[in-house]
Amino acid sequence: MAAEVSQQSLAQSLQQTLSPNAQERKQAEKFLETVEQAEHFVVPLLQLVNSSSTDDHIRFAAALYFKNFVRRRWAQSEEAEDTISQADRQAVKSELVGLMISAPKKLQLQLGEAVSIIADNDFPEKWPELISTLVGKLSATDYHINNGILQTAHTVFKGWRSDFRSDRLYAKINYVLSEFTEAYMQVFVTTDKLIDEHANNRAALQVLLHSLMLLCQIYYDLNCQDLPPFFEDHMAEFMQTFHKYLVYANPQAEGDDDDVAGDLEEVKASICEIIELYAQRYEEDFAQLPQFVETVWNMLTTVGAAHKYDALVGRGMAFLRTVVRNPRQKHLFAASESLRLICERIIIPNTVLPTADEELFEDDPMQFVRRDLEGSDAGSRRAAAADLVRGLLDQFSAETTQVMSTYIQKSLEQYAADPAGNWRQKDVAMFMATSVAVMASVGSLGATRVNELVNIVDFFGSHVVQHLSALNSDRDAPILKVDAIKYVTTFRSQLPRELLVQALPLLTSHLAHPNAVVATYAAIAIERLLVLKQQGALLIGPADIQPHVEPMLTHIFATLGRADSPQKLAENDYLMKTVMRVFLASRTNILPLAPAALAQLARILGEVSKNPSNPRFSHFMFEALAALARFSCAADAGAIGQFEATLFPIFQEILQQDVAEFMPYVFQILAQLLSVHQHAGRLPDAYVALLPPLLQPTLWTAQGNIPALVRLLQSYLQIGGAQLASEGQLQPVLGVFQRLVASRANDHHGFNLLLAITHYVPLATLKEYLRPVLVLCLNRLQSSRTAKFARNFVHYIASVLCIGGATGAGVDLFVDAMDGIQPDLFANMLHNVLLEALPTVAGRVERKTAVVGFGLLVASPRFQGNPAYATQTAALLQQLAAMLMDTAVKETKSQADRQTVDGSAAAVVAAVATDEDLDSLEIEDTGYQASFARLATLGEVKIDPCPQITDAAAGLGQVLKPAQAAIASAAQQLPDEVKQFISTIVR
């Protein structure tokens, strides 16, 4: 009965998550977040997915929640608590395969992702029965069941396509091959036979062709890493069947929708993918390759223009590209007539912009842009044609350039004769010209190598700039403006600097274009130009951009201002990214425009906070706010008042309305604004009033809030550590530390907070709290020790030991606290835990702190005067020397080597990211994710307790030198190379 009640409450809560009432949705989401941490949560959830009597919307919501739950919690790690019992794990695996087989396709897609995650973690070691279960459920007659089994198998296997080779991966594949291949081939042969038998049965063909499509995908999965002996032995049989279906034609198998690929089209596309793999990886064994080249060539010259064939055409051209790039197969294309035919009959027809894309350009501008830029267009005919051109250029550069140039010139002449009627020919010419000119490219730089036979500068002057010179040109064909802008973006690393600087005002004017696609591409081009570097320096500097900043911002904010809803406003994250980049590129020159820009950003923030819908837009918006505040306040510290007056009411509303998506950003911006007050000596009253709500436990239950709240508390301590101590507000902050350090997932955040407490509160206060803090750490060490916890604990101990430097104040403070807990406790901990964990400390500042701190310890009279400690001198020296001598150690924290930026607290490193960091900042590289994204313009606080020491080895020598006599005997026990190293640094 408990399970039924649980299912009912889950169903009710999931129903409420679909409610249009925001408050009802949030309450339901909070309830689910709470109950998912309880034991025996996941089984009733999965049973709800399987409940045919439940509303389909609730079942889908349950499947979606199950998938996300598995993604969050299934993987077991010492760094996170495991909230799923072994019994529940086994129950899920027992039910999941049957559910995948019987569930509707809509649910199958969600469950399939969960299966993939579970299999990646558990199979085969903890799920050895998976393959035998799948094989055992295969049916000789029911292909609906078979399709569910094949879909499950493909879900488990497809991850191998992108996996790196490893012994574990190969062991997994070999295990599957031994259990699965015989049954697989039997189903493959039977499916082929049944398709022949049901050639006139449309309904049966639909099911059987779907089976064949899954069988083809599984074939690729099983062959993607290496050619298994089983498939090598049966290659002739499989390839004969693949060839049969590559040329298969049956009106009964054709789909009714020209816009959606049917199973037959997907089968043929999958076969092309398989033969491309074989041509690329197993060419010597692939005797059927010439036959498939001829077949695919003929297919591509006859296939229809309907959208449903796009993936097939794309995969077919990808196969030809792979073959032509192989020097051993180039003879198949070497004849000049062959090159002409492949260009004329395959490449050129597939470079024409599809009618569907023209409609998308007008009806859904943002979808058009995303398909073009973010990879969803990678399977398009155009993209495949461009790749095939590059393949031909690799082997036949001059010949291909000559043939393609003829068609380009012909298209340009057609456009010149009738620009209004033949604009599509110009679009094709621009696309082909780019395809022929680009020999190599990367997303961050555009074209990195160009065809020496193509003059890209001359083409720009003759055929591109005309579309940018006037905003109102090309009214009937705005897509030509997009082509021109994309040309600049593509060749930005190859075009002369003066040409790019001249293009900047032209691009700026197009930010005001009424067509959203044109304006968006103009914004993208500007953003890409502003991060372009040459010989380590920005190609377009603040002086180049300054005359255009105001119109850039005016046009972009005007476009955003025309949105009629929060969702529509947040739709175009490209525009907001350009706003961010303009602020970063302008630096302190932005100050005169800051008030107007702040007002616009505040208006946008207030609007989108009503219903956050686009995480990327939100992130760029807050990065823009952070950049504007950073550079404005750097130019005029008095600007902080305007920022606080403008933003605080909006922030208050966000916090009161519990806008979970924005709260981590708000805390980070507050940390940044508070840091501006560092010279005031006291916390401003507004921040003092805000502190108690920030310490409420409810805020700390959301994982995304934790890093941001810790960052904010670090700023509180940096500005007003002594004030918090004197006013009795340190105790609740330590309560936060106690909560964090008890969690495997958050203990590192706890130590970040503890380091700030230790560094910024008065020494007398620290003495009062250090012992209970250490007790908490020791309890956690005993009950739930992890490598991460030990590493952070060692670093913290070293930070305390560094207090007072050579005076020994930190050593006395720490040893007194440890002895106060239990005499000689530290000696046992040093021997059993710390010596082993010491070398794992990562990061330049952290490793220096560890070396210097423990160097001060080993050199101190307290250490050498106590036999329990002194006997460990040699072992400790050995570890410290090893940390410095190990040149292979890799720094693991991105900010480890950053230096202080504004000189405001010499002991704080990387309080904000350096200007150099921001020159070419890419948000995707800064740890962006949905739950928490660190603002790159804010950076992280990294405390350096010994800033006067810049070199760790020299620092160790400096602290050991006064104790040479005391450590001499222990040093003699060290290996010769270590002894020599110690001797060298102490001199």
Side-chain angles (χ1 to χ4, degrees):
M1 182 61 102
E4 289 183 11
V5 172
S6 179
Q7 285 185 51
Q8 290 172 1
S9 62
L10 287 174
Q12 183 179 358
S13 296
L14 289 166
Q15 177 72 58
Q16 290 169 345
T17 63
L18 307 175
S19 169
N21 185 303
Q23 191 62 32
E24 188 176 359
R25 284 199 313 272
K26 286 180 180 177
Q27 288 177 350
E29 289 163 1
K30 283 186 176 296
F31 171 77
L32 290 169
E33 287 174 9
T34 301
V35 297
E36 80 166 40
Q37 300 176 46
E39 198 172 355
H40 307 310
F41 163 80
V42 66
V43 173
L45 179 65
L46 193 57
Q47 290 170 344
L48 185 62
V49 179
N50 196 27
S51 172
S52 58
S53 61
T54 301
D55 180 83
D56 286 347
H57 292 93
I58 297 177
R59 290 181 71 189
F60 181 78
L64 186 63
Y65 199 96
F66 173 74
K67 176 193 73 175
N68 292 328
F69 173 83
V70 167
R71 179 179 290 135
R72 287 192 300 269
R73 296 186 177 271
W74 193 271
Q76 294 169 279
S77 164
E78 71 166 17
E79 311 300 350
E81 287 82 7
D82 184 6
T83 59
I84 309 176
S85 69
Q86 289 304 313
D88 282 354
R89 288 177 181 275
Q90 193 57 44
V92 166
K93 288 183 285 191
S94 298
E95 292 191 24
L96 196 51
V97 172
L99 185 52
M100 269 291 290
I101 293 170
S102 62
K105 189 171 183 179
K106 186 179 180 182
L107 299 182
Q108 247 184 18
L109 294 173
Q110 303 302 322
L111 294 172
E113 289 191 45
V115 169
S116 179
I117 295 166
I118 295 171
D120 189 52
N121 282 277
D122 290 13
F123 177 76
E125 296 86 356
K126 299 177 183 178
W127 202 0
E129 70 278 10
L130 172 60
I131 301 302
S132 59
T133 301
L134 292 174
V135 170
K137 289 180 179 292
L138 285 169
S139 169
T141 57
D142 193 336
Y143 265 72
H144 291 284
I145 290 178
N146 286 353
N147 284 350
I149 295 168
L150 295 173
Q151 180 65 58
T152 304
H154 174 53
T155 298
V156 173
F157 305 157
K158 66 182 179 182
W160 302 343
R161 299 184 180 202
S162 57
D163 282 349
F164 290 108
R165 294 189 174 197
S166 67
D167 291 343
R168 183 178 184 273
L169 175 63
Y170 272 54
K172 185 184 294 189
I173 294 174
N174 287 331
Y175 177 81
V176 169
L177 291 169
S178 67
E179 297 272 326
F180 189 70
T181 48
E182 292 294 341
Y184 170 83
M185 185 156 189
Q186 185 177 348
V187 174
F188 188 94
V189 172
T190 303
T191 303
D192 173 41
K193 180 182 177 182
L194 290 172
I195 289 174
D196 288 340
E197 292 176 359
H198 294 82
N200 296 317
N201 186 332
R202 189 177 185 85
L205 279 178
Q206 186 176 7
V207 176
L208 291 166
L209 286 170
H210 188 69
S211 300
L212 184 60
M213 183 270 294
L214 291 169
L215 288 163
C216 289
Q217 291 182 339
I218 292 171
Y219 188 98
Y220 189 103
D221 297 338
L222 297 175
N223 285 264
C224 65
Q225 288 287 338
D226 204 352
L227 180 58
F230 176 87
F231 290 102
E232 186 177 359
D233 294 342
H234 294 88
M235 186 183 299
E237 300 155 70
F238 279 111
M239 290 302 162
Q240 182 180 0
T241 305
F242 288 148
H243 189 270
K244 169 184 174 179
Y245 286 100
L246 198 56
V247 298
Y248 185 82
N250 181 351
Q252 296 296 328
E254 293 284 342
D256 296 327
D257 191 343
D258 279 349
D259 291 331
V260 180
D263 288 307
L264 180 58
E265 290 78 40
E266 290 186 354
V267 165
K268 292 184 176 185
S270 293
I271 292 171
C272 287
E273 194 175 21
I274 290 167
I275 59 177
E276 181 190 358
L277 172 70
Y278 270 57
Q280 189 174 55
R281 300 279 299 277
Y282 317 126
E283 174 208 355
E284 293 182 359
D285 300 297
F286 190 18
Q288 300 85 358
L289 177 59
Q291 179 190 20
F292 277 106
V293 169
E294 182 180 358
T295 300
V296 171
W297 183 305
N298 292 332
M299 179 191 73
L300 290 174
T301 60
T302 57
V303 71
H307 188 53
K308 68 178 180 180
Y309 299 117
D310 285 359
L312 171 58
V313 171
R315 292 258 54 102
M317 285 195 279
F319 166 69
L320 293 184
R321 176 202 61 201
T322 296
V323 176
V324 76
R325 279 181 168 168
N326 186 338
R328 291 184 295 275
Q329 302 295 336
K330 63 184 290 186
H331 65 277
L332 297 172
F333 305 86
S336 59
E337 183 64 12
S338 297
L339 285 174
R340 186 186 67 80
L341 288 174
I342 199 171
C343 291
E344 179 180 298
R345 297 186 180 181
I346 296 177
I347 293 173
I348 301 300
N350 287 299
T351 58
V352 177
L353 188 70
T355 302
D357 285 2
E358 287 186 39
E359 295 172 352
L360 195 66
F361 184 91
E362 296 294 338
D363 300 337
D364 194 345
M366 289 313 304
Q367 181 63 15
F368 179 93
V369 174
R370 294 192 197 286
R371 284 185 57 187
D372 187 30
L373 293 178
E374 297 183 1
S376 55
D377 199 34
S380 74
R381 297 186 184 218
R382 273 195 152 190
D387 285 343
L388 181 53
V389 169
R390 293 188 188 106
L392 292 169
L393 287 170
D394 284 346
Q395 299 296 334
F396 312 103
S397 179
E399 299 90 333
T400 303
T401 302
Q402 181 179 0
V403 172
M404 291 297 293
S405 296
T406 301
Y407 290 107
I408 292 170
Q409 186 59 39
K410 181 180 178 181
S411 296
L412 291 172
E413 290 171 357
Q414 290 173 332
Y415 171 75
D418 182 8
N422 291 335
W423 66 265
R424 291 177 181 82
Q425 279 75 2
K426 180 63 178 284
D427 174 64
V428 168
M430 297 271 276
F431 182 83
M432 287 192 295
T434 301
S435 301
V436 173
V438 176
M439 300 292 286
S441 65
V442 294
S444 59
L445 298 172
T448 55
R449 184 165 61 91
V450 296
N451 188 340
E452 295 178 354
L453 302 175
V454 177
N455 189 328
I456 60 171
V457 175
D458 181 68
F459 191 88
F460 178 83
S462 301
H463 303 291
V464 177
V465 74
Q466 67 192 67
H467 300 292
L468 298 176
S469 298
L471 179 65
N472 295 323
S473 64
D474 303 305
R475 289 186 177 181
D476 296 327
I479 201 163
L480 296 182
K481 287 187 172 293
V482 172
D483 292 336
I485 295 169
K486 287 174 65 176
Y487 190 94
V488 175
T489 308
T490 300
F491 296 106
R492 61 188 182 275
S493 295
Q494 305 297 325
L495 293 170
R497 179 186 183 279
E498 58 271 18
L499 193 151
L500 296 176
V501 172
Q502 292 169 15
L504 203 56
L506 304 180
L507 294 170
T508 300
S509 68
H510 281 77
L511 291 170
H513 198 280
N515 183 281
V517 179
V518 175
T520 299
Y521 273 97
I524 292 166
I526 291 170
E527 194 274 331
R528 291 292 83 194
L529 290 179
L530 294 183
V531 297
L532 192 61
K533 286 188 173 183
Q534 194 172 71
Q535 298 178 339
L538 287 173
L539 196 68
I540 296 178
D544 298 313
I545 188 180
Q546 198 55 36
H548 313 297
V549 170
E550 186 170 8
M552 284 178 183
L553 296 176
T554 299
H555 295 330
I556 292 176
F557 285 134
T559 299
L560 292 172
R562 289 193 286 270
D564 55 8
S565 69
Q567 294 94 324
K568 203 68 178 174
L569 173 58
E571 182 182 44
N572 198 330
D573 46 86
Y574 302 103
L575 294 181
M576 187 53 72
K577 186 177 185 180
T578 304
V579 171
M580 175 200 77
R581 189 70 66 194
V582 169
F583 291 161
L584 293 174
S586 299
R587 299 291 193 267
T588 53
N589 292 337
I590 197 65
L591 183 62
L593 302 175
L598 175 61
Q600 289 285 355
L601 285 174
R603 180 191 65 79
I604 293 169
L605 172 59
E607 189 65 23
V608 298
S609 65
K610 297 175 183 176
N611 188 10
S613 56
N614 184 349
R616 287 175 58 85
F617 182 94
S618 301
H619 191 88
F620 293 136
M621 174 181 63
F622 281 103
E623 287 282 11
L625 269 173
L628 186 63
R630 170 178 174 167
F631 293 117
S632 299
C633 294
D636 177 11
I640 185 64
Q642 185 173 20
F643 277 88
E644 291 172 338
T646 302
L647 295 176
F648 272 24
I650 303 173
F651 287 175
Q652 186 175 13
E653 183 69 14
I654 289 171
L655 296 176
Q656 288 177 347
Q657 295 300 318
D658 193 22
V659 185
E661 299 90 336
F662 283 3
M663 289 169 72
Y665 291 116
V666 168
F667 299 140
Q668 290 180 85
I669 298 289
L670 286 171
Q672 181 187 33
L673 298 179
L674 177 54
S675 296
V676 178
H677 294 280
Q678 57 191 328
H679 298 299
R682 284 188 59 82
L683 293 167
D685 292 343
Y687 293 91
V688 172
L690 181 62
L691 183 58
L694 293 177
L695 300 175
Q696 293 299 311
T698 51
L699 275 184
W700 295 82
T701 57
Q703 184 63 36
N705 287 348
I706 291 173
L709 282 167
V710 168
R711 179 64 180 83
L712 178 52
L713 291 183
Q714 286 175 321
S715 290
Y716 268 91
L717 291 159
Q718 183 182 0
I719 305 303
Q723 180 183 346
L724 294 178
S726 66
E727 296 177 358
Q729 298 190 68
L730 199 56
Q731 187 67 42
V733 177
L734 285 164
V736 169
F737 163 75
Q738 181 177 1
R739 177 191 182 97
L740 296 176
V741 83
S743 163
R744 287 187 173 195
N746 296 314
D747 50 23
H748 59 293
H749 296 304
F751 278 112
N752 286 337
L753 180 58
L754 185 59
L755 284 169
I757 294 171
T758 303
H759 188 77
Y760 293 119
V761 304
L763 188 58
T765 305
L766 180 60
K767 287 180 180 178
E768 179 184 349
Y769 287 112
L770 185 58
R771 188 189 304 176
V773 162
L774 292 174
V775 169
L776 288 173
C777 294
L778 293 172
N779 288 337
R780 166 64 202 279
L781 196 66
Q782 185 175 24
S783 65
S784 183
R785 176 183 171 184
T786 66
K788 180 180 69 146
F789 181 86
R791 179 173 66 248
N792 282 291
F793 188 34
V794 167
H795 173 238
Y796 174 69
I797 291 172
S799 300
V800 175
L801 295 172
C802 285
I803 294 173
T807 66
V811 173
D812 290 340
L813 175 65
F814 181 76
V815 174
D816 286 344
M818 290 298 293
D819 285 349
I821 299 170
Q822 180 181 318
D824 295 337
L825 173 62
F826 179 55
N828 293 327
M829 185 172 67
L830 180 63
H831 176 74
N832 295 321
V833 179
L834 304 184
L835 282 173
E836 178 185 349
L838 189 57
T840 67
V841 175
R844 185 187 66 84
V845 173
E846 290 88 342
R847 289 178 74 84
K848 181 191 74 170
T849 301
V851 166
V852 173
F854 280 89
L856 286 165
L857 174 69
V858 77
S860 69
R862 293 288 296 271
F863 191 90
Q864 294 300 326
N866 186 331
Y869 299 150
T871 55
Q872 302 187 59
T873 299
L876 185 50
L877 289 174
Q878 172 91 40
Q879 291 291 60
L880 296 175
M883 291 176 70
L884 297 170
M885 295 167 67
D886 183 7
T887 56
V889 170
K890 304 296 184 186
E891 303 292 0
T892 60
K893 296 188 177 181
S894 61
Q895 297 293 330
D897 293 310
R898 304 294 186 241
Q899 298 299 317
T900 183
V901 176
D902 54 10
S904 61
V908 180
V909 177
V912 290
T914 66
D915 286 355
E916 184 180 349
D917 294 329
L918 301 179
D919 283 343
S920 53
L921 170 70
E922 292 293 350
I923 296 305
E924 290 75 10
D925 298 332
T926 64
Y928 169 80
Q929 52 183 306
S931 61
F932 170 75
R934 181 177 63 83
L935 291 174
T937 42
L938 177 61
E940 61 180 338
V941 169
K942 189 181 293 296
I943 292 170
D944 186 351
C946 47
Q948 73 283 2
I949 296 174
T950 56
D951 180 83
L956 179 60
Q958 179 183 328
V959 301
L960 291 180
K961 191 169 186 176
Q964 286 184 82
I967 65 173
S969 175
Q972 292 304 312
Q973 305 170 31
L974 300 172
D976 289 343
E977 66 272 13
V978 177
K979 191 188 310 179
Q980 179 61 39
F981 178 79
I982 296 290
S983 176
T984 300
I985 64 173
V986 170
R987 286 175 189 165

